[in-house]
Amino acid sequence: MLDHCEKLLHKEIYQREEICKILEFDDKTFQELYLSKNTTEVSEFKLYERAKHVFGEASRVMEFRSICDLHSTDKSVDKSEFAAAGGDGEESNKILVQLGQLMNDSHRSCSELYECSCTELDRLTEKCREAGALGSRMTGAGWGGCTVSLVRECQLDDFMKKITQEIYSDVSDEDSLAQMLFSTAPSQGAAVYQLA
């Protein structure tokens, strides 16, 4: 799909009239089908950037999942060693670096192509990487929100201290800080159980 973005879309901003002409719609039909009350006055569209982000993000998600699936059954990666070392083994390090890079690429795309990040989130993801995160990206609805970072377990305490000092030094209440900065571990997530 990314190839189609390059072949079919031009990089210049699309004007509403041009889109209507391509789709063979009149403006009223375009407005009814594609615009909401909040966007009826929009006349310029960044189709190339938005499409490139959406298809690139889908590709990154598939690659992330593929890496996880491959290594969840890979006997060459000792899961107990991986967990105990916090991802410090040579093979596990390669895996984490790959996953982290996908997260970084995702954030860059959100910021530059989809433009749903903000200066504060861009700064926070940068500070997280500087503090030792292998990857950091915005999460949630965007346009504010929060970040998720991939950090080796063996570096977690140091990471948390650095981020607290760099970003949250003005938060003195520990309960408030715990609501803004916390760690979690990957787990299976939601599942459906069928009862007999």
Side-chain angles (χ1 to χ4, degrees):
M1 292 304 292
L2 286 168
D3 288 341
H4 289 303
C5 291
E6 299 299 330
K7 291 177 189 172
L8 301 175
L9 299 173
H10 59 70
K11 294 181 182 180
E12 297 79 27
I13 293 175
Y14 282 77
Q15 299 300 316
R16 188 167 170 158
E17 299 78 26
E18 179 183 6
I19 296 171
C20 287
K21 185 177 178 182
I22 292 167
L23 297 175
E24 298 179 355
F25 287 158
D26 61 27
D27 190 68
K28 184 176 185 230
T29 304
F30 177 77
Q31 191 171 332
E32 288 172 359
L33 290 174
Y34 297 111
L35 302 179
S36 67
K37 288 180 183 179
N38 296 334
T39 60
T40 56
E41 301 302 317
V42 175
S43 61
E44 297 183 335
F45 300 86
K46 295 182 177 182
L47 297 184
Y48 172 81
E49 291 90 342
R50 301 314 189 243
K52 193 167 179 182
H53 167 75
V54 169
F55 295 127
E57 192 69 356
S59 177
R60 284 184 290 276
V61 168
M62 290 171 43
E63 187 176 350
F64 197 101
R65 169 126 191 222
S66 176
I67 291 167
C68 291
D69 286 348
L70 175 68
H71 295 292
S72 69
T73 58
D74 185 350
K75 303 301 181 215
S76 70
V77 179
D78 181 346
K79 306 300 182 290
S80 59
E81 176 189 314
F82 184 88
D88 274 348
E90 187 176 329
E91 186 60 29
S92 59
N93 187 56
K94 286 182 197 173
I95 296 165
L96 291 175
V97 167
Q98 283 179 304
L99 296 175
Q101 187 58 53
L102 288 168
M103 292 174 70
N104 294 332
D105 292 346
S106 174
H107 183 78
R108 188 175 311 103
S109 181
C110 285
S111 182
E112 296 173 6
L113 296 176
Y114 206 73
E115 299 177 283
C116 62
S117 186
C118 61
T119 304
E120 295 82 0
L121 281 175
D122 292 344
R123 180 175 177 265
L124 182 54
T125 59
E126 181 182 334
K127 290 296 179 185
C128 287
R129 287 188 295 274
E130 289 173 6
L134 297 167
S136 189
R137 71 176 304 275
M138 59 167 284
T139 190
W143 295 282
C146 57
T147 64
V148 60
S149 298
L150 180 62
V151 180
R152 288 181 185 91
E153 190 174 358
C154 62
Q155 295 178 318
L156 183 59
D157 289 340
D158 189 45
F159 173 82
M160 298 289 270
K161 286 176 190 167
K162 287 178 181 176
I163 294 303
T164 300
Q165 291 168 352
E166 284 285 328
I167 302 294
Y168 299 107
S169 60
D170 60 336
V171 179
S172 58
D173 179 37
E174 294 229 4
D175 289 336
S176 295
L177 180 62
Q179 291 179 22
M180 292 182 247
L181 181 64
F182 54 90
S183 64
T184 63
S187 63
Q188 183 176 348
V192 174
Y193 292 96
Q194 294 182 342
L195 303 175

